Amino acid sequence: MKYTEITHPSHPHDLVLGSAEEPYQCDGCKEVGFGPCFKCGQCNFNLHEECAMPEPSAFHPFFSKCDFRFYENAPGSSDRFYDACGKDVRGFVYQCSHEHDLHPCCMKLQRTLIGDGVKLHLSDKVSTRCLKCGSKEISKGFRGWSYESSCGQYRYHVACVKDLVLENWRRGYFDDGHNTMALQIMVRNEDIVQQTGGSSSSRMKVSKYWRMAKVALTLIISAVFGDPTTVVATFIASLLSS
């Protein structure tokens, strides 16, 4: 059953499910969100769907020995970060006795994404570089979670996709339909870029590679941000058409 109106203990007014036309800060986890959220009609209060309706306890297959509990404020040290995306824990969190922390949205990420000939799997142990940052690690000693294609050619950190969308929204790329974001990502793969000056066959391979990489990126954006706003959806369409 899908709820469209709820009460929440963190807020005095009823919250209604709607689509935000602009990016918003979730008042639960304190992260920026796009698309559907529960929002207050009387004041500027918003919650991700995942933050608005968390489970009291949860399990994740990446942490087979952990029983996660939901907290509005993480117990223990304030210097903590989410294991999946590396972001600082500033609000709602799932935490286990082994002190692993998961963002409510990361907890519910789909394990498998499929679309237009691309199949991606969520992984916490990626062996090759992210196409956005060009590294296996988000930061020194920390890999985070990634989506990787079955063929092994396309992979993106969840954190990199989040940062990518936010960075390019701030730069106005969503407003004018530029495909700069896609171009910046793809040139990270040096082996592919080196082929661009080659034969017609090489250029066709490059074109196919870029198209499939864009499909992969589109699937991940939708998984991370949910049903995108009109602005983000338009941008995703521009990725696939370029």
Side-chain angles (χ1 to χ4, degrees):
M1 179 179 179
K2 189 174 180 66
Y3 292 90
T4 58
E5 185 172 350
I6 63 170
T7 58
H8 196 275
S10 65
H11 193 69
H13 307 137
D14 289 346
L15 303 178
V16 178
L17 181 63
S19 181
E21 293 303 319
E22 294 288 339
Y24 62 89
Q25 182 184 56
C26 174
D27 288 283
C29 65
K30 311 304 182 186
E31 291 290 318
V32 175
F34 288 91
C37 67
F38 280 93
K39 51 189 178 180
C40 177
Q42 301 181 51
C43 53
N44 185 26
F45 184 90
N46 304 280
L47 289 175
H48 287 122
E49 287 186 88
E50 295 83 355
C51 291
M53 304 182 69
E55 300 292 337
S57 62
F59 167 81
H60 199 282
F62 289 168
F63 303 94
S64 58
K65 298 180 179 180
C66 293
D67 180 19
F68 285 90
R69 301 287 178 178
F70 175 78
Y71 298 93
E72 290 193 5
N73 293 288
S77 170
S78 60
D79 185 21
R80 307 180 68 89
F81 57 85
Y82 296 115
D83 288 63
C85 61
K87 304 295 184 182
D88 292 336
V89 175
R90 298 185 294 148
F92 291 4
V93 61
Y94 284 98
Q95 188 181 106
C96 74
S97 59
H98 300 90
E99 296 194 344
H100 292 297
D101 298 286
L102 288 180
H103 186 283
C105 294
C106 292
M107 172 66 83
K108 297 186 179 182
L109 283 173
Q110 298 176 59
R111 298 289 307 282
T112 303
L113 307 176
I114 302 174
D116 201 12
V118 176
K119 187 173 185 179
L120 300 161
H121 301 281
L122 186 65
S123 174
D124 62 341
K125 297 180 177 66
V126 176
S127 59
T128 52
R129 297 178 302 164
C130 167
L131 290 180
K132 165 60 169 68
C133 68
S135 174
K136 295 179 184 179
E137 299 179 339
I138 297 172
S139 59
K140 188 175 182 180
F142 181 76
R143 292 197 175 189
W145 293 0
S146 300
Y147 276 107
E148 184 170 11
S149 65
S150 298
C151 65
Q153 284 189 295
Y154 314 106
R155 69 212 63 83
Y156 297 98
H157 286 125
V158 169
C160 287
V161 172
K162 285 186 176 183
D163 291 342
L164 184 67
V165 171
L166 295 177
E167 288 168 7
N168 284 271
W169 172 74
R170 293 188 184 109
R171 293 173 182 172
Y173 292 150
F174 291 171
D175 298 328
D176 53 22
H178 288 173
N179 293 315
T180 308
M181 177 160 68
L183 300 176
Q184 289 175 339
I185 300 165
M186 306 311 168
V187 296
R188 297 285 184 181
N189 190 300
E190 297 174 1
D191 294 335
I192 294 296
V193 172
Q194 288 173 0
Q195 296 181 28
T196 57
S199 65
S200 175
S201 175
S202 294
R203 289 194 294 272
M204 288 179 64
K205 290 179 181 178
V206 172
S207 177
K208 180 180 178 181
Y209 179 92
W210 281 34
R211 186 183 69 81
M212 300 301 280
K214 293 172 187 177
V215 171
L217 179 60
T218 300
L219 291 172
I220 299 169
I221 289 174
S222 295
V224 170
F225 290 104
D227 182 22
T229 64
T230 302
V231 174
V232 179
T234 300
F235 177 78
I236 290 174
S238 74
L239 284 183
L240 294 178
S241 63
S242 63

